[in-house]
Amino acid sequence: RNGLSENHMHLKASGYTEEINWRSFVKKDLSDIDRYEQFINSDGIFKEFRKTPEKKNELLQFVLKFKVIRIILACSLREDENETKEITIIFKKNIDRILKSQDVINTLSVVGLYKKMRNFEELENFLQDKKYPTIDLTSFATSESDFMEQIMRLIYEDNKESDYMCYLFNLYIAGMTVLKFQFVQDNLGMGFSRFKEKEDNKSHFVDNEDNDHAIIRSVFHKYYREKYIQKIELRVGPKDSISEYVTLIDNINRYNSGEFEKAKKEINGTGLKLNKIRYGLIIHFIKMLKRPNEDYVMDQYHKRMDLNRQSDFLLEAIRYLEKNAENKIVGIDTANFEKNNRPELYGPTYRKIRNCSPTESVIGATFHVGEEFSTLCNGLRAIDEVLQFLDYRANDRLGHALALGIDPDHYFKVKRDNVICSLGDYLDDLAWLYAILLEGGSNSMLLLYLRDEFEKYKFQLFESTLPNEDIPSFDDYLASIYLRGDCPDTHFNLKNESYDNLRVYEYRFNTSNKHHKQSFLNKKARMLFLRYSFDPNYRERAESSFQTKVTDKYKACVKLAQWLLKIKIRDMHVYIEANPTSNKKISIMTKYSEIPALAISGPALLGEEDSIQLDVSINTDDSSIFQTNLVNEYSLVAASLLKEGYSENDVYAYIEELAIASNVHSFIE
């Protein structure tokens, strides 16, 4: 009734990105061999093949043959011209030779077609731009459907050539199906890494400013057609100058206003009132994979340097916009790979941006977390590290946080009671379980079990990396973990400053954490933190593989920790950004009713009276890749719950709660 807010979407992965990318691919010249080779070599493209040199050439020839067939079909639509008639005649005479060739370009040259086709391409692209200008966003989809309709009409009307044209058209459809699936997210249950491979190719051929602008425009075109969208938080990557931020905001303002006016004209006379969408930018830092040929220590060091540089530019932009224009930057986020990108890495950056921004600018915090993890406990720990190390406050949010809604009993059953992770992660998990259970007043038997488990395995990590006198006790190890939200480089350069003097370092120390002072004053804990941050041998050993069978006590600890973490999040008034289709396609769920968000947001609906209810908003994540929109996400959740047998009244009341929550949770005033 009151409209919806989109609180978790990525600008370049929404709108009509897939359609724009496809049209850009179709318009690529036959001669652009380097670009096609880049496409074939990209991660996630033709993943089912082992890309030997021979296979790469075979795939390249496949793409080129598809382009040739496209040109021939286009020629057949303009056979009234001598040039196009000659192309189709020569091609028909040499069709077997061309389609069976292992060097299409050379074969086209030999039969005298290559130059003629290049000339036709140039003219055709000019005519296509004239017929389907970028100012008409729907043309990115309709140009392809119009083309196919014209070919089908030609086949229907020209009986003499129908077999030949049917053959070519079927080849085109088959090739188009294979190629389009390289851009669309289709990896049901294949996990986050496979999703990233597809996501990175969503706009592979979108390589000019006009198409970049078209993507931004298409986002507003799409949301206005849903009619109920009030606010959108647009996630964009960090920029390298104030001018880049200002230019982006100017473009977004212009396209938002333009699409609003168009949408108003479309609904004129329908009785529907359309409000102009309010938007805000979420600057999301990219969690990159570990750099090749670098050890963990150097990889983390270079990431800290990159974050420091990016945050400086962002702070400058926020201050400039506050003084010279309306500030549209409303929050910060991180996205992409969780492995080797623990929340601790981003602690100084989050504190820096939020504490050093102008007092007028309220910068909200959100963080992709608990989406990809080696063990359930590891995912839960990452969520708590966000709360501890990133100076989280009331009204901040967590992106996905799937680990909160996963049933531990089912999880361990699927994993056949195995824990497989790194040695360091297992010891860290034990220490974290102890800390959260102790804080929650857990019974001493479970706490004693966790201490014993730590002592059982700690020598696997420490014997080969530390002198005997430096091997830490459990308490020293736990204390060192509380320091991980600090900037390790500042720790390394400290002399003998007293704890009270740390305030001069501003955001570099996580002093707001209640355990920080005690840990900082523990010399063994500080030395262990420095080892963890700067000792390559220690890190190499910590990253070594570890496997064990879990006990009933371990399961009990994880279940209790999950419950206590939910209470902590509820009491801190931190919210969850749920993305139903994204979660369903990336994980192993078979129904929308199984998404973890329902387990943490609708306990009354699901009949779980003792559950902890957390506030959740429904969002799209990457709507272009997942082929969805915001209204569709609510509809799919509602339909799935109705199929499960819940009453209409309960389901619609729940959906209304989610809709209201989307507006309450938004960082946009």
Side-chain angles (χ1 to χ4, degrees), residues 205-222:
F205 290 97
V206 180
D207 58 357
N208 63 56
E209 192 175 350
D210 286 343
N211 283 341
D212 276 341
H213 287 199
I215 288 176
I216 297 174
R217 288 184 56 235
S218 73
V219 167
F220 288 101
H221 187 281
K222 181 176 180 179

Side-chain angles (χ1 to χ4, degrees), residues 370-584:
E371 181 182 13
E372 179 191 27
F373 40 82
S374 55
T375 68
L376 178 57
C377 185
N378 191 283
L380 293 169
R381 175 164 64 89
I383 293 170
D384 195 35
E385 286 174 352
V386 172
L387 306 178
Q388 290 189 66
F389 298 153
L390 273 60
D391 194 23
Y392 253 51
R393 310 164 189 175
N395 303 318
D396 288 337
R397 304 197 304 255
L398 300 165
H400 298 285
L402 300 184
L404 290 173
I406 291 175
D407 176 23
D409 290 327
H410 177 69
Y411 173 84
F412 287 117
K413 183 178 180 181
V414 170
K415 295 292 183 179
R416 293 184 173 88
D417 291 340
N418 283 307
V419 164
I420 303 173
C421 58
S422 71
L423 175 59
D425 273 343
Y426 186 68
L427 295 178
D428 288 350
D429 287 349
L430 294 174
W432 174 75
L433 285 169
Y434 183 92
I436 194 167
L437 265 58
L438 180 66
E439 196 170 314
S442 178
N443 68 69
S444 56
M445 291 299 293
L446 291 180
L447 296 176
L448 184 60
Y449 159 76
L450 292 168
R451 279 181 172 270
D452 289 344
E453 190 75 357
F454 178 85
E455 294 296 330
K456 180 179 175 183
Y457 293 108
K458 76 173 185 179
F459 290 102
Q460 291 187 26
L461 172 60
F462 299 128
E463 268 192 333
S464 60
T465 58
L466 295 178
N468 286 337
E469 63 272 15
D470 290 339
I471 293 178
S473 67
F474 178 81
D475 294 319
D476 292 336
Y477 188 85
L478 177 58
S480 74
I481 289 179
Y482 289 126
L483 296 174
R484 292 186 186 175
D486 294 350
C487 175
D489 307 297
T490 309
H491 260 273
F492 187 78
N493 294 317
L494 277 181
K495 302 302 179 187
N496 295 310
E497 285 93 339
S498 69
Y499 191 80
D500 292 337
N501 289 337
L502 292 187
R503 62 178 179 271
V504 303
Y505 294 99
E506 300 179 296
Y507 54 84
R508 293 175 178 85
F509 290 92
N510 188 27
T511 53
S512 62
N513 187 292
K514 64 182 180 180
H515 301 288
H516 187 270
K517 182 174 183 178
Q518 184 179 357
S519 295
F520 183 87
L521 297 176
N522 182 328
K523 289 185 177 180
K524 281 194 173 182
R526 284 188 61 196
M527 287 304 299
L528 188 59
F529 172 60
L530 290 174
R531 292 269 189 186
Y532 170 86
S533 302
F534 297 111
D535 185 342
N537 294 327
Y538 181 94
R539 289 306 316 171
E540 183 180 0
R541 186 62 186 147
E543 293 297 307
S544 62
S545 298
F546 176 85
Q547 179 177 2
T548 188
K549 285 281 187 180
V550 298
T551 63
D552 289 340
K553 285 185 178 178
Y554 179 87
K555 295 179 194 176
C557 289
V558 173
K559 289 175 71 172
L560 184 53
Q562 185 190 57
W563 188 74
L564 292 169
L565 183 56
K566 289 179 185 178
I567 293 176
K568 184 175 184 177
I569 291 169
R570 182 196 65 188
D571 293 348
M572 287 180 68
H573 300 287
V574 169
Y575 307 129
I576 313 297
E577 302 162 4
N579 308 279
T581 296
S582 170
N583 296 159
K584 181 177 180 293

Side-chain angles (χ1 to χ4, degrees), residues 176 241 315 390 507 512 615:
M176 181 178 68
S241 67
L315 271 176
L390 273 60
Y507 54 84
S512 62
D615 284 333

Side-chain angles (χ1 to χ4, degrees), residues 18 22 44 176-186 198:
E18 192 251 334
W22 178 254
M176 181 178 68
T177 303
V178 171
L179 287 166
K180 276 198 169 185
F181 262 88
Q182 306 309 313
F183 304 119
V184 178
Q185 181 55 260
D186 64 327
K198 287 291 187 184

